[in-house]
Amino acid sequence: MKTSSDGIYGWMKSGLGAFVAEPCLGYGGEELCPRRLGAFCSPAPDEADFCGVSELQSCVWNCCYGRFCIVVAEFKMNYLYGAFGSPCTVSIDFVDAETRKQASVKKENGQTVLVPLFLGQDSVVGEVRIDPVPGKKVEHTGVKIELLGQIELYFDRGNFYDFTSLVRELDVPGEILERKTYPFEFSTVEMQYESYNGVNVRLRYILKVTISRSYATNIVEYKDFWVRNYSPQPEINNSIKMEVGIEDCLHIEFEYSKSKYHLKDVIVGKIYFLLVRIKIKHMELEIRRRESTGSGPNTYNESETLAKYEIMDGAPVRGESIPIRLFLSPYDLTPTYRNINNKFSVKYYLNLVLVDEEDRRYFKQQEITMYRAE
Amino acid sequence: MVRFDALDLQQDMRTFDELRQLETFFKEETKRGRTNADLYELVQHSGNILPRLYLLITVGSVYIKSQEAPAKDILKDLVEMSRGVQQPIRGLFLRSYLSQISRDKLPDVGSPYEGEGGNVMDAVEFVLQNFTEMNKLWVRMQHQGPAREKEKREKERSELRDLVGKNLHVLSQLDGVDLEMYKDVVLPRVLEQIVNCKDEIAQYYLMDCIIQVFPDDFHLQTLETLLSACPQLQPTVDIKTVMSQLMERLSRYAAASPEVLPEFLQVEAFTKFSHAVVEVIEAQPDMALVGAVSLYVALLTFVLRVHVDRLDYVDQVLGGCVKKLEGKGKVKDVKATKQLVALLSAPLEKYKDVVTILKLSNYGKVMEHLDYDTNRVMAVVLMQSILANNTLITAPEKVDGLFDLLKELIQDSEGAPSIDELDEEDFKEEQNLVARLVHMLVNDDNEQMFQILIAARKQFGQGGPKRLPFTLPPLVFAALKLVRSLQNEDLPDDGPVSLKKVFQFLHQTVEALSVVPAPELALRLYLQCAEAAGVCNLEPVAYEFFTQAFMIYEEEIADSKAQVTALQLIIGTLQRTRVFGVENRDTLTHKATGYSAKLLKKPDQCRAVYACSHLFWVEEGSGVKDGERVLLCLKRALRIANAAQQMSSATRGSNGPMTLFVEILNKYLYYFEKGNTQVTSTIIQGLLELIVTEIQSENTTQDMQVDAFLANTLRYIQFQKHKGDSVAERYSDIKVPS
C-alpha cells in the first residue's frame, strides 16, 4: 500500500489532514496517562464518601502517587482530632435542598453519587448549623463561610487554584454553647466554569465553613456542589463534510450533519464510498475526548475513547453509502471547554476508523463542539 | 436490559425464532411503561452493528404494530439503516429478517397500516429497496473469498437465492399492486436492478422469478417491457429458457382461458415475442446455435397454442430460424439438430396435415439445414404422417412442394453419402414409403391427376438407378388407374390429357426403368401397359409395348429362370390381349412360340410350348380357335418331353419322372373338353397308355407326386365320364387303364 507522503491526500482544497494508516497497537500513539501510575492505590476504600469529613480520604485514590503521602498525613491529623473528640458538629444545608436538582457524579471507583446542582447565576443560599457536643463549648475567634471555585491539577502536587473565592463572616469571636444556625447567602454568584472531573484535572465548587480558634486548630467543614452552565443554541452550525482517501486505494466522502452537538444530541451522517480497493472488514465511529492541562512545556494531553460505535460490517463497494446515527445520550460527555482559566481545556473529536482485513486501521479525526443545551 | 453481545446471530433461520421471543419481550416492555419510541432509540445504543440492527428491526416491528408512528417512516428507517451491514451473507440474512418481519406490516391497500402509515406506494418502495439491496449483496457474494472456492460459493449463492426472490413474491402479494402500478413502478424498477447487476446467476433466477410470481395478465400487458430487458442481459445468461418459460406460461394462459385471446392480439404478443427473439439472438452472439433454435421452438409452440389459425405466423417463425441458419450450411451440432427436428415436428403434430405444412414456404428451407441423416428421418416422419393421417395430396404444385421436402429420399443431393454407403434395409424401407406415398397423390380431375403424375415423374426421375425400381412402379400403376378412368371418356388427343398422352407417359416411365437397368421389372410393366392399351383398343400402342417387352426379353434377360418367368408373363398377357389383328397377332405369337422353343432346359421348353398352345385357343369372346396349331404345340411338347426323358436316361441311367407327360395330358384333356376337334379321344387314349406303361416300367424313377397327379387326373376322367352330359359322352371313348 502506498503510504508515502505524496500518496496520501486529505481534503485537497482545505489542506486539512489526511487519513492516517497505522498498525493496530491498541490505541496506537496514545501516551500513557501519568495518572495511571496511581492505579496501584486502588482498590479505593469503599466507605470513602465524596463529601463530608472523609472527603480528603477520597483524594487518596483520586490523586497521584506523590500526593498520597500528604493526604494520609492530613487524614491522620483529623483522626487525632477525633481522638480528642471534636467539640461540635458542623453541617451545611441548602435552603432548597429538597427541591433542588441533583447531578449524578461518577466517582473514580465507579460509583455515582448525587450532588446538589447549581447553574452559573444561581444564588447559593442555606444555613450553617453548629451543634456543640453537649457539655462542651466552642470558643472561637470568628466563623466564616467561603464559596470557592477550585481547579486542581493532579500533576501539580495537589495545588489548588482558586478562581472564585467569596467570604461571608457568620459570627464575631465568641463562644457557642448550644446549637446555633447561621443563614448565609451568596446571591447571583458568577460561577462561569462548570464542575468537571477529568483525568488530570478537576474543577470543583465547595462551600467551606471555618471556625477559627486561637489556640487550637480551626474546625473546617466542606460541602461540595455541582455547577453546570447552559449554552445557547449555536447560531452557526455547519455540517462537517470531507473527502479523504489514499490515492488509488480508498476514497470516501463523509458528512456529519452538524459540527456542534448538545449532550443528548444525535450524530447523523453518511459515508459515501467513492473508491474501494482495499478489503475493509468494518468501520466504526469513535468519540474521543482530549484533555489538555498545563501550558508551555508542561502541557499534558490525555485522550480517551468514550464511545466505539460500529457503523458498518463487511466491505462496501463503490457507490455505497452507509448511514450514521449515533445517540450521544448514553455517553458521559461534557461540553467542550476551551482554555478554562488558562489551566486546561477539554475537546471532543469524532474519529472515523476503517479496519481492513489485515487489521490495518485508517482513520480520520474531526473535532466537534459539545455544548450543554437547556 | 438486554445483553446485546449475548445474541448469537448465526446465519440460521432458527435465530429468527429466537428473535420472535425477543419481540414478545419488547411488547411486554411497552406494557411496563416504556414507550416504543424510547425502545427504538434505546436499542440503537448498542455498539455492535449486527445485533443492533436485529434489535432495531425487532423493536421496529413492535413499534409498527402499536401504530404509534407511521409504518412507512419506520420501514424506511429500517431499510436505510440496514445498509450498515455490507458483509454479503450477514446482510442478506439481516434483510431477509427485515423482509420477513415486515411482510404483514406493509401499508398495503386494506391493511390496518394504510392511511397514516402510508400507502401502497410506500410499501412497494420499501420492498423494492430491500430487494435491490439484497440483490446487490447476493451478487457480491461471488467476490468473497479465494478464487479457487468459486464453485462452492456459487453453490451457496444458489441456495440463498430464494431470500432475494422472496421480495418479488411479497410484491406480487400486495393487493395494492395493480396492473398500472406494476407497469409503471414495479416492473421497471425490478428490471433495472436485474439488468444493472450484470450477474449471470442473478439475472437468470430473477427473470424466472418475475415470470413465475406475477400473474399472467400482467405479463401480457407488459410484454414489451419485460422482453426488452432480455437482450440487455449478460451474454451468458440462459435467456432461452427464461423466454421459453414466459411463452410457455402465456400460451398455457391462453389455452386455459380462451376469452383472453383478443388481448393477445391486441398487445401483439406474437410480434413482440418474435422481435424479442431476434434481438436476443443478436445481443448474444456467442449463444450456441441450439439456443437460438430452441428459442424459435418455444416461439413456435407459443404460436401453435395461441394462434393456431395463423399459418403466416408459423411461417414467419420458421423464416426467422432460416435467417439465423443462413450461410451456416448443414447443422452439425447434435443438440441443435434435435431442436430443429422439434421445430419441424411441432407444426406437423399440431396440424396433422402435410398439406398445411406445404403452405409454409420456409419449412423446406429449414429442412435443408438438417444434416443428411436427420433430413431423411424428418422426411420419413413427414411421409408417415401423410400415410397415418390419410392425407391426400391433390394439387400438382403441392406435389412439387412435397417432393422438395422429401428430396433427400428422392434424389442424391450434393454432399449426400453415396447410396452404397446407406444401410440397405433402411433404404428399402424409405423407398417403400415413397412408393406408398404415390398412392396418396389423388385428384378426381383427370387433367389434374395427369399433371400430378408428370410432376411426380419429374421428381422421381432424378432418383438414380437405385431408387427408380422403387418409385416408378407405383407411378405406372397410378397412371394405369388414370387410364381406366379415361377409357370411357372421349377426349381429343391434343387436349391436356388423353389416353395417348398417358400411354406416352407410361412408355417413357417404363423405358426409364429399362435403362436402369431393371429388365424384369420393365418387362412386367410393359406387359401391364400393353394389356391396358389392349383394353383401350389401341392396337399400335399395345403392339409397341409388346415389342418393347420382347426386346427386353431378347436383350436383357439372360438368366434362364427369369426367362421362364418372363415368357410365362408374355404368353399370359398376349393370350389376354385381343386387340390385335391377325397379322400382328401372328407376329407376336410366332415370336413367343419361338422363344419357348429356345429355352435352355427341356422341361422349361416343354412347359413353355404347351403354354403357347393357349395363344391359339382363346375361349372368351370371338377369340381365335385354331385347333390345328394347338395340336401342333401339344405334339411338339410331347416330343420335347420325350427328348427330356431320353436325356435323363442318357445322363443318369434312368428316365426322369413322368410329370411333363401328365401335364401335357391335362392340356389335352382341357382342349378335348373345350371342343377342339383336332384333339381326339384316340390321341388321349394313346397318351394315357403311354404314361401308364412308362410309370410301371422299371426304368422310370418312381415319384409319389407324379403318381398322385396321375391318379387325380384319372379320377377326373372317371368323374367326367359319369357326369352324364355332352362332355361325358365324348369321354366314354376313353378307357381308363387300371
Side-chain angles (χ1 to χ4, degrees), chain B residues 381-398:
Chain B
V381 169
L382 274 172
M383 287 190 296
Q384 277 166 346
S385 160
I386 294 174
L387 296 169
N389 297 308
N390 244 331
T391 314
L392 299 179
I393 317 288
T394 53
E397 62 273 14
K398 286 279 157 56

Side-chain angles (χ1 to χ4, degrees), chain B residues 119-402:
Chain B
N119 54 26
V120 67
M121 202 55 222
D122 297 306
V124 167
E125 195 57 39
F126 166 77
V127 181
L128 277 175
Q129 200 181 338
N130 204 32
F131 161 73
T132 309
E133 293 300 324
M134 279 179 88
N135 188 42
K136 281 201 238 167
L137 291 169
W138 185 46
V139 170
R140 216 189 291 164
M141 253 181 85
Q142 63 187 305
H143 306 301
Q144 302 280 316
R148 65 193 139 82
E149 284 172 21
K150 190 173 166 66
E151 207 167 299
K152 192 177 145 219
R153 270 203 312 279
E154 298 286 79
K155 195 167 159 269
E156 269 177 20
R157 273 190 70 201
S158 297
E159 284 163 7
L160 291 179
R161 61 185 194 172
D162 288 348
L163 296 183
V164 184
K166 219 161 60 182
N167 286 299
L168 294 178
H169 187 244
V170 171
L171 278 175
S172 73
Q173 297 297 306
L174 286 175
D175 291 337
V177 176
D178 52 10
L179 178 59
E180 192 122 328
M181 183 172 283
Y182 176 74
K183 201 173 183 173
D184 296 343
V185 183
V186 177
L187 185 64
R189 289 273 300 275
V190 173
L191 285 179
E192 186 193 357
Q193 173 58 27
I194 294 177
V195 170
N196 289 344
C197 79
K198 299 204 188 312
D199 175 68
E200 188 186 334
I201 298 181
Q203 289 186 334
Y204 174 71
Y205 170 68
L206 292 174
M207 285 304 280
D208 196 35
C209 249
I210 293 184
I211 293 169
Q212 302 303 336
V213 301
F214 290 105
D216 297 315
D217 55 329
F218 281 22
H219 291 318
L220 191 56
Q221 297 299 334
T222 56
L223 207 50
E224 195 159 10
T225 325
L226 191 56
L227 290 174
S228 67
C230 291
Q232 297 175 53
L233 301 181
Q234 294 303 97
T236 43
V237 174
D238 183 11
I239 188 68
K240 63 167 197 299
T241 315
V242 172
M243 285 185 66
S244 309
Q245 259 156 7
L246 180 58
M247 290 187 242
E248 168 84 19
R249 226 193 126 164
L250 285 184
S251 57
R252 264 202 312 247
Y253 175 51
S257 37
E259 69 275 7
V260 297
L261 272 177
E263 265 179 68
F264 276 83
L265 293 174
Q266 196 194 334
V267 300
E268 295 178 313
F270 169 72
T271 322
K272 281 172 186 164
F273 270 128
S274 64
H275 279 307
V277 167
V278 172
E279 269 170 41
V280 163
I281 291 172
E282 267 172 24
Q284 301 198 345
D286 293 339
M287 193 195 318
L289 195 58
V290 56
V293 179
S294 51
L295 264 178
Y296 281 110
V297 173
L299 185 58
L300 188 68
T301 318
F302 173 79
V303 171
L304 290 176
R305 284 204 192 157
V306 181
H307 303 292
V308 72
D309 49 338
R310 295 296 296 260
L311 266 182
D312 54 332
Y313 284 175
V314 178
D315 201 32
Q316 218 171 310
V317 176
L318 294 174
C321 193
V322 169
K323 216 179 219 170
K324 171 71 193 166
L325 293 169
E326 216 157 63
K328 293 224 162 61
K330 301 272 185 211
V331 176
K332 297 281 190 309
D333 179 14
V334 181
K335 282 182 187 161
T337 308
K338 223 172 186 172
Q339 288 298 322
L340 277 178
V341 170
L343 187 72
L344 293 169
S345 310
L348 199 60
E349 276 162 32
K350 185 76 192 176
Y351 296 114
K352 295 199 187 318
D353 179 11
V354 176
V355 177
T356 316
I357 303 297
L358 291 176
K359 289 183 194 148
L360 303 170
S361 62
N362 286 308
Y363 197 90
K365 291 182 194 160
V366 175
M367 264 187 92
E368 274 171 30
H369 288 283
L370 289 175
D371 64 68
Y372 179 73
D373 282 324
T374 320
N375 196 328
R376 268 174 41 221
V377 170
M378 197 60 226
V380 168
V381 169
L382 274 172
M383 287 190 296
Q384 277 166 346
S385 160
I386 294 174
L387 296 169
N389 297 308
N390 244 331
T391 314
L392 299 179
I393 317 288
T394 53
E397 62 273 14
K398 286 279 157 56
V399 174
D400 277 336
L402 176 64

Side-chain angles (χ1 to χ4, degrees), chain A residues 196-232:
Chain A
Y196 171 68
N197 256 343
V199 180
N200 282 329
V201 65
R202 175 158 80 157
L203 188 151
R204 65 170 186 167
Y205 288 92
I206 45 175
L207 286 170
K208 181 179 178 189
V209 173
T210 313
I211 304 172
S212 314
R213 293 194 290 185
S214 52
Y215 53 89
T217 10
N218 294 342
I219 299 169
V220 182
E221 178 63 47
Y222 297 96
K223 173 86 172 175
D224 274 70
F225 63 92
W226 203 258
V227 172
R228 280 177 187 164
N229 285 322
Y230 293 117
S231 321

Side-chain angles (χ1 to χ4, degrees), chain B residues 444-451 453 478-493 495-506 532 535-536 538:
Chain B
D444 289 339
D445 181 53
N446 292 329
E447 193 181 321
Q448 290 280 320
M449 186 62 205
F450 190 48
Q451 292 302 319
L453 290 176
L480 289 175
K481 204 168 147 195
L482 179 61
V483 166
R484 269 198 292 284
S485 71
L486 282 173
Q487 199 176 328
N488 303 321
E489 284 176 48
D490 190 22
L491 290 165
D493 282 352
V497 60
S498 66
L499 276 173
K500 201 174 153 195
K501 281 191 174 166
V502 177
F503 277 112
Q504 275 165 5
F505 169 80
L506 280 167
V535 173
C536 296
L538 296 172

Side-chain angles (χ1 to χ4, degrees), chain B residues 529-542:
Chain B
C529 296
E531 192 184 351
V535 173
C536 296
N537 266 326
L538 296 172
E539 186 181 353
V541 178

